[in-house]
Amino acid sequence: MSVNTIALNRQMRRFDDHASVWLFGYGSIIFKADFPYLERRPAHITGWARRFWQSSHDHRGTAQAPGRVVTLVPEQDAVCAGMAYLITPEVFAHLDHREKNGYLRLVTEMSFEDGQVAEGLIYIAADDNEAFAGPASELEIARQIAGAVGPSGRNSEYLLKLAQALRELGAEDHHVFAIERHLLQLIGQPPVLSSAAHP
Ligand code: SIN
């Protein structure tokens, strides 16, 4: 169903001789840091929009009922908030395995809350990867997410944890929050009052 990107990512030698590298996470990497890191800081990147446009049959769905997870799509002036982790290059072996379903390492610049800027890496699933699902309405995406579960758990858990993590970062993301609202309605749960996150 999809091309495994581990071998391609291993050829990325850019930071091999660095003592540490910044990794910018915008999806599950924000709320599930299952890897060692030296430092963790809220950050953002510009020119990219977070979208639930990537299929997942290995983590949050199956081949029969794939889930949807986030990737980034280019969008002028878009600001994507996330979490940056300072890691050692050895950690990429684990990340390459975790992100193997279509995600490639890409060098990017990220900005921290204090205005500092650093170069680092993101994992991005571009529109030419076989698991790229592409656009759909936020309601359709919520329906697909509601019905998907895979080895890493329910797809709805991925969405709800991401939305919660973004709220904790004080980040605005209409796409993610709209899908969250639809999902909560579909599963009969009350909506999250987003103002509660910004006292
Ligand atoms: C990321 O979190 O930065 C990549 C996408 C994901 O694993 O959900």
Side-chain angles (χ1 to χ4, degrees):
M1 179 177 179
S2 70
V3 174
N4 180 321
T5 51
I6 291 178
L8 280 171
N9 277 323
R10 276 201 195 128
Q11 290 167 20
M12 208 305 179
R13 302 235 162 264
R14 172 76 176 268
F15 296 103
D16 279 8
D17 58 344
H18 288 217
S20 57
V21 190
W22 282 104
L23 165 74
F24 177 81
Y26 57 89
S28 66
I29 290 176
I30 302 180
F31 63 81
K32 188 180 175 190
D34 58 352
F35 49 86
Y37 56 87
L38 306 166
E39 202 184 326
R40 181 181 195 259
R41 293 171 75 180
H44 67 266
I45 58 175
T46 50
W48 294 100
R50 179 177 12 241
R51 293 286 179 263
F52 269 90
W53 288 4
Q54 177 71 358
S55 243
S56 175
H57 68 275
D58 61 339
H59 282 302
R60 299 288 178 166
T62 58
Q64 294 72 34
R68 274 187 183 244
V69 290
V70 289
T71 184
L72 295 174
V73 295
E75 190 182 299
Q76 216 184 355
D77 302 330
V79 176
C80 176
M83 187 62 79
Y85 299 86
L86 189 62
I87 60 174
T88 55
E90 302 84 69
V91 178
F92 284 111
H94 168 73
L95 291 167
D96 289 349
H97 185 264
R98 170 176 163 163
E99 304 294 326
K100 65 183 184 306
N101 188 31
Y103 291 83
L104 286 173
R105 297 190 214 167
L106 183 78
V107 178
T108 186
E109 198 173 77
M110 62 195 83
S111 306
F112 301 108
E113 285 174 329
D114 61 4
Q116 271 190 324
V117 170
E119 193 179 58
L121 286 172
I122 51 175
Y123 280 86
I124 182 168
D127 61 3
D128 60 354
N129 87 86
E130 283 189 23
F132 190 75
S137 76
E138 281 143 358
L139 177 58
E140 281 169 325
I141 293 175
R143 284 198 183 114
Q144 187 178 341
I145 289 175
V149 55
S152 298
R154 295 194 163 278
N155 203 177
S156 55
E157 181 198 40
Y158 176 106
L159 166 66
L160 297 176
K161 283 192 169 174
L162 177 59
Q164 178 58 27
L166 292 175
R167 238 174 250 117
E168 283 165 13
L169 284 170
E172 194 37 75
D173 191 315
H174 296 293
H175 174 73
V176 172
F177 294 147
I179 298 169
E180 182 195 38
R181 269 196 308 279
H182 286 305
L183 179 101
L184 290 172
Q185 209 163 25
L186 287 168
I187 63 174
Q189 299 273 320
V192 178
L193 302 172
S194 55
S195 56
H198 306 287

